[in-house]
Amino acid sequence: MVHHPRAGPRHERAPARELATLTLALQADLTGPGKETGQAHERGTKLAVERHNGRPDAAFRLALRVADDGGDPARAAQVVKELAADPAVVALVGPTWDAAVPELATACGAADLALLLVSADIAESALSQQEWRTVCATRPAADQLALPVIDYLSRIRPVHRTGLVEDLEGGEPVFPVVRNLQQSPPSQGTVSVHRIPVGGSDFAGAARALTEARAEAVVYAGTSPQRAAAMARALTVAGFQGPRMGVQHAMEPAFLTAAGQDAEGWLFSALFTDPLAVPAAAEFVAAHRTAYGQPPARWATEAHDAVGLVAEALTGLGEDGRSRAGLTRRIFRTAHQGLAKPLSFDSNTHVLTRQGTAHLYQVVSGTYRYLGRYTDLKPASTQ
């Protein structure tokens, strides 16, 4: 008779079997110099996890483990070791700063743990390294920032003489942009390079040199919003009238503040979208406003999409295959329609398919206005 109490509960539990819970980790700078980006990653991933868990057809639940590395190299190395050692963690999103990528990539490769990059940059050639085989870069490499610039100055406002200001203070992030512009000049014209050395501040001299070179457009290749503002002021003083362009690193509120009226009309190439301008992101934007009282910051939408990619890959694996090893094999064969952009990869090189991955913004009335994916722009719709 003793078997009846055991049989009863077992029979009752079977239909209500709980879904398995899989843990996704986020490593971000939440308290250091990159805390704004880190917070955007955290909010985007949290809302994506909540959205997945709220789906009636979800095959599993997601849990999120958040770890703050404070933007400190030693702390970042320790945090990733702790996360990689947690057998419950099936994937890691992060980091929020470029310099931490090698440390995380190596640790995740050794642990067979998928590492999803959202905003941090990585050279596409690095993805072929065996020790970095689990790195899944959901943003293209920095050289893609040159594409909207080249396209705009070739198709939207064609120029044949482009002046390129290479601000060496900006360091490595802008080198790929400089190289691409030199290799593929807008309108198949010419590119004159004017370098400002590390520690140099002769923006007035650069503006004069651009005028002497009869540049029809100016591209500022630098990472400092304050130095970009100095370039903007110098161009105004020099009477320059052509298109003025920069890249996302300098596209900060500090540029608008420091440049004032001289910022008006500047265009910026960026790899992040504006979710307020994307109809498909309306639900995400509403959820973000409800949770945090404001619209999503840059990179929050892309972080949301990284979670969606992981969830889709895990769903495709089936219950028995939802493991670290299964995910690192499956994720590069998974296509996910994200809110910011479609995510799909070359299964051999692990490189992101470049479809609509770069955008243009323009300073209008003292704010950054989203113009759209650069491939969608039409000459008549721009200023």
Side-chain angles (χ1 to χ4, degrees):
M1 299 296 291
V2 294
H3 68 280
H4 290 302
R6 295 178 184 174
R10 185 168 61 246
H11 176 74
E12 292 169 6
R13 281 198 304 266
R17 182 176 61 85
E18 290 189 5
L19 296 177
T21 297
L22 304 175
T23 300
L24 177 66
L26 169 69
Q27 179 168 338
D29 174 5
L30 298 175
T31 53
K35 61 184 178 182
E36 290 184 2
T37 300
Q39 184 182 75
H41 283 201
E42 182 181 25
R43 291 177 173 182
T45 53
K46 280 185 174 180
L47 290 173
V49 166
E50 291 174 8
R51 182 171 184 268
H52 170 83
N53 291 340
R55 292 180 55 164
D57 61 342
F60 53 87
R61 291 181 59 81
L62 286 174
L64 181 65
R65 177 180 174 181
V66 178
D68 175 21
D69 62 28
D72 175 74
R75 177 64 184 148
Q78 182 60 34
V79 167
V80 72
K81 288 178 183 177
E82 294 171 0
L83 295 175
D86 183 351
V89 174
V90 296
L92 172 60
V93 177
T96 46
W97 43 299
D98 295 354
V101 171
E103 187 78 43
L104 269 68
T106 301
C108 288
D112 204 8
L113 180 65
L115 174 65
L116 287 95
L117 305 184
V118 174
S119 59
D121 187 31
I122 183 175
E124 289 180 350
S125 58
L127 296 175
S128 62
Q129 299 178 23
Q130 179 59 24
E131 63 268 30
W132 289 15
R133 63 184 176 80
T134 66
V135 176
C136 180
T138 66
R139 59 150 276 184
D143 61 354
Q144 299 300 294
L145 283 168
L147 298 183
V149 176
I150 295 169
D151 181 77
Y152 186 86
L153 298 178
S154 299
R155 186 173 60 86
I156 307 300
R157 291 187 62 180
V159 300
H160 293 279
R161 293 186 301 277
T162 301
L164 177 61
V165 179
E166 183 180 7
D167 189 354
L168 298 180
E169 190 83 22
E172 292 184 12
V174 295
F175 292 163
V177 176
V178 172
R179 183 177 64 247
N180 267 19
L181 282 165
Q182 288 180 301
Q183 292 175 347
S184 303
S187 303
Q188 298 182 327
T190 61
V191 172
S192 57
V193 180
H194 307 272
R195 292 184 176 86
I196 298 178
V198 175
S201 58
D202 187 12
F203 295 99
R208 287 194 299 271
L210 291 163
T211 302
E212 292 170 2
R214 295 186 298 133
E216 299 168 292
V218 170
V219 179
Y220 173 75
T223 60
S224 166
Q226 291 83 2
R227 292 171 69 83
M231 190 71 244
R233 293 193 299 269
L235 288 172
T236 298
V237 171
F240 185 80
Q241 299 294 316
R244 293 140 294 152
M245 306 188 74
V247 292
Q248 67 184 27
H249 307 80
M251 186 186 149
E252 298 287 347
F255 172 76
L256 301 176
T257 301
Q261 284 297 315
D262 299 326
E264 198 70 11
W266 270 69
L267 295 120
F268 287 89
S269 168
L271 299 176
F272 50 81
T273 192
D274 177 5
L276 300 180
V278 180
E283 182 182 333
F284 170 60
V285 170
H288 196 285
R289 286 187 188 276
T290 299
Y292 304 110
Q294 57 187 295
R298 61 181 66 171
W299 297 117
T301 311
E302 287 76 8
H304 180 280
D305 288 351
V307 176
L309 173 65
V310 170
E312 190 147 340
L314 288 170
T315 300
L317 281 167
E319 186 173 355
D320 295 335
R322 293 179 186 135
S323 63
R324 287 185 179 185
L327 182 59
T328 55
R329 289 194 302 270
R330 179 82 181 188
I331 199 164
F332 297 107
R333 300 197 301 271
T334 299
H336 174 64
Q337 182 58 53
L339 303 179
K341 59 182 177 289
L343 294 173
S344 62
F345 305 85
D346 184 303
S347 59
N348 294 316
T349 65
H350 294 180
V351 172
L352 177 70
T353 303
R354 302 166 184 168
Q355 296 177 345
T357 54
H359 313 265
L360 273 175
Y361 292 78
Q362 186 170 33
V363 179
V364 178
S365 300
T367 62
Y368 294 111
R369 189 180 78 182
Y370 181 65
L371 298 185
R373 294 178 181 175
Y374 79 94
T375 51
D376 295 339
L377 264 63
K378 294 178 173 57
S381 65
T382 59
Q383 295 182 2

